[in-house]
């Protein structure tokens, strides 16, 4: 199975060049980074595009590291071209943002992680994908750029629906900024898949900030549900101010299973997805709490 | 009598000239933009050791090659994207008279039956052994998740990779590095 | 010096001779073959599961630059006979209705994926572009997906001229079943369902056809049975047999039965090559493959077992319903697999009274096509899991229930007529218990339970067909069961073996050579094996059904022995002695006189005389050094036993489980190459695990297939399966010259009962049972919540 004819291909080496191309060809062009989602769509002819813009040579999109946006406001900046492989194994991610490596580690397989990029995954916005959940959980900010200027979105505002984001035809996602977690914070992610590396049947990401044993705040998202990851607001409220015990987490997982809307498909029924939610909800919250406790010292 | 049709190249189907280093040799070709890298290797260069098993989404991994030092699926890359790249395919791994330790491992341990997944599988093993000289059997299993095999049940493949790891680690650093760079 | 009686090659785990080419990327698979001037076919397939074709519009596609030809159903139907001719139609008694099948749909489609239009273009990219331009209008018809629904009298019919949707119906069995049931202490009665799943080899099907007026049609195809396909092409396409040559490539990327059937594309591609006088190539893409071939299993068993209170089975009744799909594939027609499933239902157990009613039903799914463990997968699940359920109900140790029923005396003929040649089934079963350390596991289970961990142990057996002899094969598929081989010694004393089978990864070049090397006292490097070309190999039914080591290797051995008689005569003549054949041994590429070992002749010298210098032959002896043998065992069929055991741990909150150990005890008679046998066992067990746990051909209510890529058809990766422990327990069969038996076919079949019984043992709650495959965490969780 092969892509439909493509009339032109550009591989700009600077962001400016890329934005010019998008300005001219936006509606007729598709951006390719890792191509791990785009190529299947091209072969299935679900995407038919006259022009391909290959962004792999753009250095500006490859930024990766911590920086201060202003005094006291430290962030991890992840350029859109950062590969899953980096997210899965970079010491900085493993030590300070392990929820991201939790998610990146099990995206597809080694080959997919060598090519696939965070930008591609987020803009593709597959509800069963792994990276959107931690990006939402960490209250990230996403920068979208075009020749006309820059727009910043919270992760919550970035995802519009099933495979839909705010990114317009002439725009590109440049990077994701993740605020440095405050002390006493832990976050974790886990998913259920039918086989290793498959899309998630259900995925849960949670971030919890503790003072002693009391939950100061939390952010919880569930993935693998249509049309986009859903925030578990009631669960967050339930945990607020509570002294964390195993029993409380068990109850929180029940609240989560209750509030999240799930559907049936060939991978699992809606009833069973709720069972999985309880299980993974509990495990992920426990892991986040454990990490939060480790972070208190 | 059939009418003689003028076969003009469809204007929509553009081409680009690319230069790629494949198994140590630099080649230059004009390719259709939509051509998959695996077709470029198989059909333009005649390197048919790289196989296609899943046609669409890359799940099977039979087309795995090394592209700029990493194992990737050549059916999920356009040939034009490989312009300037350094590629290793199974044909560049070892020769029948001088097999690469990974090939030796697969032979010694019966790591292949039909052989269809084998070239891709060996490329993933290569990538693994480059970064992890002494992988455990679980690490090997995770490293080859992207390469499906229907014949062996993976058991002998794991033994094959372990055999290769031992062979490589018995060598001098230079020898070892030479065998894991291209 | 080695004597002829010492085994030098058979029994040794030598490296395979086919591997070097495969390891350096020089294998030659069908997709690697491109002839000068090749054109490429793309098939436009039905998007409806059941519909009338109202209109096919090819005008836009025809005009597309690069399109060479477009073929529709009418044209090709006019050029040949319907596909299901008697030569490839099974013949099993019972009641059969035969569908009329042409290569392309004409006015009606019966499943999603049914080919309708063939596009031929200058390259494969253009062929696909043009396929997008074909417009087809359909009038949808009611879709039948459930065989039990399709059986209802008021159900719409898929083939209007038929009396019902039943493609085949019949009974199997023997003995007095009613009496057995009246004497039973307990009768287990359950409905077991084995879902639609199958083999999916890594290489899809593919073919290249070429034609010229003088040599006729040459079809290169990765078929398991080139000779049978050649016959079918000749008859169906009305071509003289000498103008049809089928060649299977040297390397085939796995088949597992899927490449044994005769499908529609063979005729499409051959016809187009004849019409266009240009080579035509078609390589099935994975989506086509997953939506049209390799779908198997799919059986419902209403199984009743009458037992005595000590667990002895007195009799069984089974009402089997098989979903045959559209029943359109040549050789099997979607009912040979379920038939064999019924025939082998009693598995390794001595059950005198059996009655099986088998009904094979057509539905709007692709026709069942064979997959490793041919039909037996659901039957083994039903039978062996039922034995565990019986043990639970009667509060007996399942070990004892198995032991009391296992066949103990050989040869044994089952009530369904299956001959078990030889072996030690009880010994193999005991070996498994020993390998599992069964009593210790049961002890650990108790300890673990105290800590809230649910561990369980289970097992199942598989009496696996090791090739079927002509007595079975002729009535079943109108084909011989013998093995055939030609052994030729060439002018320089090298030995060529030609076989009519066509392997797909089994390692024939190694194993046949090992057997021949021993017979002729030569080195393995002195032998070369040829196969695949129907113009120069002896007729054979193909590489399938575990025939290789039972029949084909034996034929090669017999051919060697024929040849040896002639060679010793020549040797005696050249040495100037008078002696019997038995007075010579074959060793070190020489024929040596036992009475005085200094008297010997080199094989190459014998070849030189026999082929190049016939004047030196004994008076009146015919020149040449070659022999063909057809081996038929002196018994209807051979079987080999495999016993599987597993230890699992289950999480009852989600139904998730982990396989802690998986053990297979295996008997293949004499292993020609034990390393290759282990490879077969590992691969078979893992395929069984994939089929039992992850893989499923599912359909939505309109008949749209949901598993059309490998993202949805979940074949397990290395990280999804456990380490497989393999224990050899080999008992040579007296029915083959070397005591060898085929290995490979049935290995997946004991997996589902092994795992289901282990999970049931772990849960250990009254009423908990797993009656439906696949065994998913969700199905286990559901079963737990339905008690």
């Amino acid at each position: 199975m092969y892509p439909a004819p493509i009339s032109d291909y550009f591989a700009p080496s600077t962001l400016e060049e890329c934005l010019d191309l998008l300005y001219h060809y936006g509606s007729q062009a598709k951006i390719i980074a890792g191509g791990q989602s785009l190529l299947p769509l091209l072969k299935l002819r679900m995407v038919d595009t006259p022009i391909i813009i290959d962004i792999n040579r753009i250095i500006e999109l490859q930024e990766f590291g911590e920086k201060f946006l202003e005094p006291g406001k430290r962030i991890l900046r992840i350029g859109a071209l950062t590969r899953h492989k980096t997210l899965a194994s970079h010491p900085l991610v493993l030590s300070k943002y392990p929820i991201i490596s939790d998610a990146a580690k099990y995206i597809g397989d080694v080959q997919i992680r060598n090519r696939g990029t965070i930008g591609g995954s987020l803009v593709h916005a597959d509800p069963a994908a792994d990276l959107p959940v931690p990006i939402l959980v960490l209250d990230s900010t996403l920068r979208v750029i075009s020749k006309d200027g820059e727009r910043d979105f919270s992760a919550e505002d970035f995802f519009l629906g099933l495979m839909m984001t705010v990114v317009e035809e002439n725009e590109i996602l440049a990077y994701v900024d993740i605020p440095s977690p405050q002390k006493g914070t832990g976050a974790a992610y886990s998913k259920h898949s039918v086989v290793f590396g498959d899309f998630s049947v259900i995925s849960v990401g949670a971030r919890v900030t503790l003072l002693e044993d009391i939950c100061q705040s939390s952010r919880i998202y569930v993935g693998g549900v249509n049309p986009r990851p859903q925030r578990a607001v009631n669960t967050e409220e339930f945990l607020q101010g509570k002294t964390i015990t195993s029993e409380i987490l068990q109850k929180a997982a029940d609240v989560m299973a209750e509030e999240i809307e799930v559907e049936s498909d060939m991978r699992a029924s809606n009833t069973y997805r709720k069972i999985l939610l309880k299980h993974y909800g509990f495990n992920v919250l426990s892991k986040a709490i454990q990490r939060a406790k480790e972070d208190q010292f | 009598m059939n009418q003689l049709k003028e076969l003009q190249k469809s204007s929509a189907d553009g081409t680009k000239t690319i230069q790629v280093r494949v198994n140590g040799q630099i080649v230059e070709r004009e390719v259709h933009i939509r051509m998959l890298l695996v077709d470029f290797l198989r059909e333009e260069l005649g390197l048919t050791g790289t196989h296609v098993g899943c046609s669409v989404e890359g799940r099977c991994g039979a087309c795995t090659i090394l592209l700029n030092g990493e194992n990737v699926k050549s059916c999920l890359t356009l040939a034009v994207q490989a312009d300037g790249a350094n590629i290793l395919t199974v044909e560049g791994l070892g020769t029948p008279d001088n097999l690469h330790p990974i090939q030796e491992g697969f032979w010694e341990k019966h790591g292949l039956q039909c052989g269809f997944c084998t070239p891709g599988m060996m490329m993933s093993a290569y990538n693994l052994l480059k970064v992890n000289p002494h992988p455990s059997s679980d690490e090997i299993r995770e490293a080859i998740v992207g390469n499906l095999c229907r014949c062996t049940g993976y058991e002998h493949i794991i033994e094959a990779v372990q055999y290769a790891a031992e062979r490589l680690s018995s060598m001098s650093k230079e020898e070892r590095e030479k065998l894991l760079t291209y | 010096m080695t004597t002829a009686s010492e085994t030098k090659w058979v029994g040794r785990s030598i490296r395979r001779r086919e591997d070097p080419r495969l390891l350096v990327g020089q294998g030659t698979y069908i997709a690697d073959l491109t002839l000068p001037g090749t054109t490429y076919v793309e098939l436009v397939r039905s998007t409806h599961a059941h519909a009338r074709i109202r209109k096919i519009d090819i005008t836009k596609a025809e005009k597309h630059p690069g399109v060479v030809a477009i073929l529709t159903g009418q044209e090709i139907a006019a050029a040949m006979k319907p596909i299901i001719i008697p030569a490839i139609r099974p013949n099993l008694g019972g009641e059969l209705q035969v569908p009329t099948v042409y290569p392309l749909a004409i006015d009606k489609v019966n499943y999603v994926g049914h080919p309708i239009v063939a596009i031929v273009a200058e390259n494969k990219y253009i062929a696909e572009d043009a396929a997008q331009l074909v417009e087809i209008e359909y009038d949808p018809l009611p879709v039948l997906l459930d065989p039990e629904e399709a059986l209802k009298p008021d159900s719409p019919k898929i083939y209007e001229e038929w009396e019902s949707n039943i493609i085949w119906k019949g009974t199997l069995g023997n003995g007095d079943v009613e009496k057995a049931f009246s004497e039973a202490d307990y009768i287990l009665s359950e409905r077991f369902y084995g879902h639609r799943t199958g083999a999916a080899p890594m290489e899809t099907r593919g073919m290249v056809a070429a034609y010229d007026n003088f040599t006729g049609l040459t079809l290169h195809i990765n078929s398991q049975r080139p000779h049978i396909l050649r016959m079918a092409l000749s008859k169906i396409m009305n071509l003289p047999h000498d103008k049809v040559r089928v060649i299977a490539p040297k390397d085939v990327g796995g088949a597992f039965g899927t490449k044994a059937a005769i499908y529609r594309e063979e005729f499409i591609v051959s016809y187009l090559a004849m019409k266009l006088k240009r080579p035509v190539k078609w390589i099935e893409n994975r989506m086509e493959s997953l939506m049209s071939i390799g779908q198997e299993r799919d059986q419902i068993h209403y199984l009743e077992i009458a037992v005595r209170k000590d667990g002895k089975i007195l009799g069984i009744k089974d009402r089997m319903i098989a979903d045959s799909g559209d029943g359109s594939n040549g050789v099997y027609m979607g009912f040979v697999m379920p038939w064999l499933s019924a025939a082998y239902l009693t598995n390794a157990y001595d059950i005198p009274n059996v009655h099986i009613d088998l009904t094979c039903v057509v539905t709007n799914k692709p026709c069942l096509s064979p997959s490793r463990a041919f039909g037996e997968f659901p039957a083994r699940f039903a039978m062996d899991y039922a034995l565990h359920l019986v043990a639970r109900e009667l509060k007996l140790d399942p070990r004892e229930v198995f032991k009391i029923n296992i066949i103990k005396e050989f040869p044994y003929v089952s009530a369904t007529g299956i001959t078990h040649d030889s072996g030690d089934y009880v010994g193999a079963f005991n070996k498994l218990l020993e390998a599992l350390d069964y009593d210790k596991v049961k002890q650990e289970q108790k300890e673990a339970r105290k800590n809230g961990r649910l561990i369980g142990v289970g097992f199942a057996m598989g009496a696996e067909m090791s090739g079927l002899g002509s007595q079975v094969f002729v009535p079943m598929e109108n084909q011989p069961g013998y093995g055939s081989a030609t052994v030729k010694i060439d002018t320089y004393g090298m030995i060529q073996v030609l076989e009519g089978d066509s392997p797909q990864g089994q390692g024939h070049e190694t194993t046949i050579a090992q057997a021949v090397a021993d017979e002729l006292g030569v080195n393995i490097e002195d032998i070369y094996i040829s196969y695949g070309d129907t113009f120069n190999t002896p007729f054979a039914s193909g590489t399938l059904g575990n025939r290789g080591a039972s029949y084909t290797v034996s034929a090669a051995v017999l051919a060697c022995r024929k040849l040896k008689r002639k060679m010793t005569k020549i040797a005696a003549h050249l040495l100037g002695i008078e002696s019997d054949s038995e007075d010579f041994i074959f060793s070190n590429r020489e024929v040596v006189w036992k009475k005085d070992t200094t008297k010997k002749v080199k094989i190459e010298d014998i070849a030189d005389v026999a082929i190049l210098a016939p004047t030196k032959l004994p008076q009146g002896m015919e020149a040449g050094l070659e022999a063909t043998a057809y081996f038929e065992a002196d018994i209807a069929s051979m079987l080999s036993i495999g016993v599987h055991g597993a230890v699992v741990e289950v999480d009852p909150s989600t139904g998730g489980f982990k396989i802690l150990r998986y053990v297979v005890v295996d008997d293949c008679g004499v292993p020609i190459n034990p390393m290759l046998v282990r490879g077969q066992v590992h691969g078979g067990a893992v395929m069984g695990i994939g089929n039992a746990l992850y893989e499923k051909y599912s359909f939505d209510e309109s008949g749209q297939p949901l598993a059309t890529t490998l993202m949805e058809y979940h074949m397990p990766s290395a990280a999804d399966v456990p380490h497989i422990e393999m224990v050899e327990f080999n008992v040579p069969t007296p029915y083959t010259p070397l005591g060898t038996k085929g290995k490979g076919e049935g290995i997946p079949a004991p997996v589902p009962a092994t795992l289901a019984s282990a999970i049931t043992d772990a849960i250990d709650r009254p009423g908990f049972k797993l009656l439906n495959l696949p065994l998913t965490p969700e199905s286990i969780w559901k079963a737990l919540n339905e008690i």
Side-chain angles (χ1 to χ4, degrees), chain B residues 5 34 36 39 42-43 53-55 57 90 103 107-108 110 113-116 122 141 150-152 154-155, chain C residues 15-16 19 23 29 31-32 62 124-125 129 198-199 254 286 679 682-683 695 709 711 716 718 721 723-724:
Chain B
K5 253 187 284 186
R34 64 163 158 168
L36 304 173
D39 284 335
R42 286 178 54 82
E43 289 164 18
C54 63
S55 315
E57 76 299 327
V90 67
Q103 292 166 317
W107 196 13
E108 283 294 332
H110 186 35
Q113 288 177 28
C114 80
F116 197 78
M122 292 194 297
R141 284 180 188 274
R150 201 50 161 167
C151 296
T152 64
Y154 304 106
E155 204 66 43
Chain C
R15 299 182 302 190
R16 293 201 318 173
D19 289 357
L23 288 167
Y29 298 88
D32 306 337
E62 267 179 327
K124 60 190 189 182
Y125 285 70
D129 296 343
R286 181 59 67 180
H682 296 151
E695 300 168 34
T709 74
M711 285 306 286
V721 293
H723 165 55
I724 307 291

Side-chain angles (χ1 to χ4, degrees), chain B residues 109-124:
Chain B
K109 296 295 176 183
H110 186 35
L112 64 155
Q113 288 177 28
C114 80
F116 197 78
C117 74
T118 313
M121 195 67 85
M122 292 194 297
M123 290 299 157
S124 287

Side-chain angles (χ1 to χ4, degrees), chain A residues 265-281:
Chain A
D265 62 20
M266 63 174 290
R267 283 180 167 81
S269 71
N270 52 359
T271 326
Y272 188 64
R273 274 203 165 82
K274 297 254 178 191
I275 299 300
L276 289 175
L277 255 183
K278 283 184 199 176
H279 181 77
Y280 284 88

Side-chain angles (χ1 to χ4, degrees), chain C residues 49 161 224 230 400 470 632:
Chain C
E161 66 282 12
Q224 286 172 254
R230 178 187 176 202
E400 304 311 323
S470 293
E632 194 81 70

Side-chain angles (χ1 to χ4, degrees), chain C residues 375-618:
Chain C
E376 297 164 0
F377 195 80
R380 292 278 153 74
F381 166 59
M383 186 70 218
D384 280 49
Y385 186 54
L387 285 185
H388 283 275
L389 294 179
V390 163
R392 297 187 72 78
E393 190 61 38
L394 298 178
K395 304 218 166 5
L396 295 170
D397 186 330
R399 274 187 293 193
E400 304 311 323
V401 176
F402 274 72
K403 275 188 195 168
I404 198 172
N405 288 300
I406 292 174
I407 297 166
K408 295 170 189 80
E409 281 177 25
F410 299 90
Y412 173 89
V413 180
S414 76
T416 54
I418 297 297
T419 304
H420 297 243
D421 60 305
S422 65
D424 177 4
Y425 292 5
V426 175
F429 182 74
N430 286 333
K431 189 85 187 170
L432 177 87
L433 297 176
E434 188 190 306
L436 275 177
D437 211 340
Y438 190 78
D439 289 309
K440 194 165 156 231
V441 177
K442 293 303 279 184
Q443 197 54 44
E444 284 165 1
Q445 178 183 38
K446 277 186 197 150
E447 294 300 318
R449 207 164 274 279
K450 287 179 196 159
N451 304 319
R453 289 176 58 205
L454 303 185
I455 288 178
V457 58
F459 46 79
M461 302 185 74
E464 176 185 340
M465 61 163 146
S466 279
L468 299 169
S470 293
Q471 290 181 45
V472 184
F473 224 16
V474 169
M476 187 167 106
E477 293 176 9
N478 296 313
Q479 290 159 27
Y482 55 66
S484 60
T486 299
V487 177
K488 279 180 168 178
I489 298 183
D490 72 16
T491 46
Y492 290 117
M494 303 285 284
I495 296 147
Q496 184 185 16
V497 184
L498 298 116
E499 58 158 329
D501 296 340
S502 192
Q504 319 97 39
Q506 292 88 343
H508 283 197
E509 285 174 72
T510 305
T511 52
I512 293 177
Q514 283 181 270
V516 168
D518 280 356
E519 284 301 317
L520 296 178
V522 299
N523 202 302
I524 201 147
E525 278 79 32
D526 301 328
I527 301 165
Y528 53 111
I529 313 282
S530 307
Y531 51 77
D533 186 343
T534 51
F535 264 27
N536 53 34
T537 58
F539 185 85
S541 292
T543 299
L544 40 96
N546 248 353
R547 303 177 59 258
S550 304
Y551 291 91
T552 310
V553 166
S554 300
V557 168
L558 291 194
C560 289
R561 290 181 184 175
K562 276 190 186 175
L563 211 47
K564 280 161 84 172
R565 288 195 284 275
K566 183 170 186 179
M567 291 165 79
T568 52
K569 276 185 194 147
I570 299 171
H573 179 71
L574 294 175
L575 292 167
I577 53 179
E578 293 225 358
S579 206
D580 290 338
S581 275
E582 292 73 51
D583 295 333
F584 289 90
I585 52 167
F586 284 68
S587 181
N588 293 328
R589 299 180 220 189
E590 291 168 332
V591 181
V592 185
W593 195 37
K594 275 193 227 165
K595 293 176 181 169
D596 175 358
T597 54
T598 62
K599 292 196 182 304
K600 52 193 179 184
V601 187
K602 287 184 182 150
I603 287 183
E604 62 177 279
D605 293 338
I606 294 177
D608 185 67
V609 167
I611 303 166
L612 296 175
T615 50
K616 296 176 189 166
L617 283 171

Side-chain angles (χ1 to χ4, degrees), chain A residues 71-197:
Chain A
K73 195 175 174 196
R74 190 159 60 166
I75 53 107
L76 169 65
R77 177 158 296 173
I78 305 175
L81 264 181
T82 307
R83 314 276 163 182
H84 303 327
K85 176 193 169 183
T86 308
L87 300 177
S89 61
H90 197 284
L92 181 61
V93 180
L94 289 169
S95 63
K96 278 192 74 182
Y97 307 88
I99 182 177
I100 297 176
S101 54
D102 287 352
K105 249 187 265 181
Y106 297 112
I107 299 173
D109 49 53
V110 175
Q111 295 95 310
I112 301 272
R113 295 194 292 274
N114 281 340
R115 290 291 283 173
T117 65
I118 188 170
S121 175
L122 297 178
V123 175
H124 184 52
D126 189 319
D130 288 289
L131 287 177
V133 169
I135 294 311
L136 284 158
V137 163
L138 294 175
D139 279 350
S140 318
T141 302
L142 294 92
R143 171 148 303 186
V144 176
I145 309 183
S146 72
K147 208 172 160 59
D148 299 328
E150 302 160 350
R151 303 197 288 159
D152 280 346
F153 294 90
S154 71
E156 178 57 41
D157 293 338
F158 181 81
F159 297 103
L160 296 178
L162 186 66
M163 297 181 167
M164 267 168 48
T165 69
V166 295
V167 181
E168 303 274 352
E169 282 167 344
N170 59 353
E171 287 181 315
I172 185 168
L173 173 66
Y175 55 76
V176 183
D177 278 351
I178 297 174
S180 185
Q182 71 181 99
K183 206 165 174 55
T185 299
Y189 171 90
S190 185
K191 71 166 171 180
H192 180 82
S193 59
V194 177
V195 285
F196 216 85

